Amino acid sequence: MARNVIKDQQQRELRRNQILTAAASVFTKRGVAVAKISDIATEAGLSYGHVYNFFESKEEILLLLVQSSQERYTELLQAARDGRGTAIDKLRWLISQYMHSSRTGTLYWVVLQAQATEVLGPEEKEVIHRNVHRNRDLLADILRDGQAEGTIADGDPLELATLLLTLFHNTAMWAYRGFGEPSDHVIDIMLRLVIK
């Protein structure tokens, strides 16, 4: 009997992830504001009612996507900050990991829409905003360490972090803009902006 419970839980988790993946695709293609649960259900190959077995609303799905995306990004930044090597080594690893993740551009676009539209309420948007700043602060920590070791250019670490974030977040969206996929050479170009 316990085996069936575990199998049911695994199946439920797979279905839930299927819905979240479909939602990210729909939010990217149609936009967060106009997307409907029925669009998500169609993309996932499920019935409209089946999606409601897992989520109460489009807003709940959106919030979960944003939260999980920001949490994964925080973990990546912490791993870079706590990793070995110079600040340049850590930044190179971070940017490479971020740019080579297959869902980076999609999830970044979903987060931007969640911040810019009225789909989520002010409280949810404030949490997103705080997470954005927390993640920028983690990147600034790496830059501060690099300034202390003499590998990173002088300047306000928060401004440098904002510049780098802007670059590699938007580079991750090149495919959506018709620019193709960035090469690894792009990482070197970004790093030249902050290397001392």
Side-chain angles (χ1 to χ4, degrees), residues 72-91:
R72 277 188 295 238
Y73 187 43
T74 299
E75 290 167 4
L76 192 63
L77 285 159
Q78 288 171 335
R81 184 192 63 192
D82 299 338
R84 295 177 186 247
T86 67
I88 300 300
D89 297 330
K90 294 174 183 184
L91 290 171

Side-chain angles (χ1 to χ4, degrees), residues 112-182:
L112 287 178
Q113 289 183 75
Q115 289 179 284
T117 65
E118 299 299 320
V119 174
L120 298 178
E123 299 83 20
E124 289 94 355
K125 286 184 174 185
E126 180 55 34
V127 171
I128 295 169
H129 184 73
R130 281 195 309 270
N131 289 337
V132 166
H133 281 263
R134 176 199 62 212
N135 287 338
R136 184 184 66 164
D137 291 345
L138 287 168
L139 182 57
D141 287 345
I142 298 170
L143 295 167
R144 272 188 207 91
D145 291 345
Q147 288 172 332
E149 70 191 20
T151 59
I152 297 293
D154 295 332
D156 180 351
L158 286 175
E159 285 183 355
L160 292 173
T162 303
L163 172 66
L164 275 180
L165 287 172
T166 301
L167 283 171
F168 65 83
H169 281 110
N170 285 293
T171 302
M173 295 186 60
W174 279 12
Y176 291 115
R177 302 188 71 200
F179 300 149
E181 293 295 326

Side-chain angles (χ1 to χ4, degrees), residues 2-139:
R3 183 180 214 132
N4 287 338
V5 170
I6 291 170
K7 188 174 179 180
D8 288 347
Q9 288 173 338
Q10 289 171 339
Q11 186 62 35
R12 187 161 178 77
E13 190 61 30
L14 283 172
R15 186 72 69 212
R16 194 171 154 79
N17 288 334
Q18 178 184 354
I19 294 167
L20 290 171
T21 299
S25 177
V26 168
F27 290 155
T28 301
K29 293 177 199 168
R30 294 190 46 97
V32 166
V34 297
K36 298 180 271 192
I37 290 286
S38 58
D39 299 323
I40 296 167
T42 300
E43 181 78 16
L46 301 171
S47 70
Y48 178 78
H50 200 79
V51 174
Y52 280 111
N53 289 333
F54 294 87
F55 300 100
E56 291 181 16
S57 65
K58 171 180 85 171
E59 293 77 15
E60 180 187 3
I61 295 171
L62 174 60
L63 193 56
L64 185 59
L65 277 173
V66 169
Q67 288 170 339
S68 64
S69 173
Q70 288 187 308
E71 286 168 10
R72 277 188 295 238
Y73 187 43
T74 299
E75 290 167 4
L76 192 63
L77 285 159
Q78 288 171 335
R81 184 192 63 192
D82 299 338
R84 295 177 186 247
T86 67
I88 300 300
D89 297 330
K90 294 174 183 184
L91 290 171
R92 182 179 308 284
W93 178 85
L94 173 67
I95 297 168
S96 177
Q97 293 296 308
Y98 189 80
M99 284 182 17
H100 291 28
S101 172
S102 62
R103 295 185 62 197
T104 296
T106 299
L107 294 173
Y108 178 60
W109 181 236
V110 170
V111 171
L112 287 178
Q113 289 183 75
Q115 289 179 284
T117 65
E118 299 299 320
V119 174
L120 298 178
E123 299 83 20
E124 289 94 355
K125 286 184 174 185
E126 180 55 34
V127 171
I128 295 169
H129 184 73
R130 281 195 309 270
N131 289 337
V132 166
H133 281 263
R134 176 199 62 212
N135 287 338
R136 184 184 66 164
D137 291 345
L138 287 168
L139 182 57

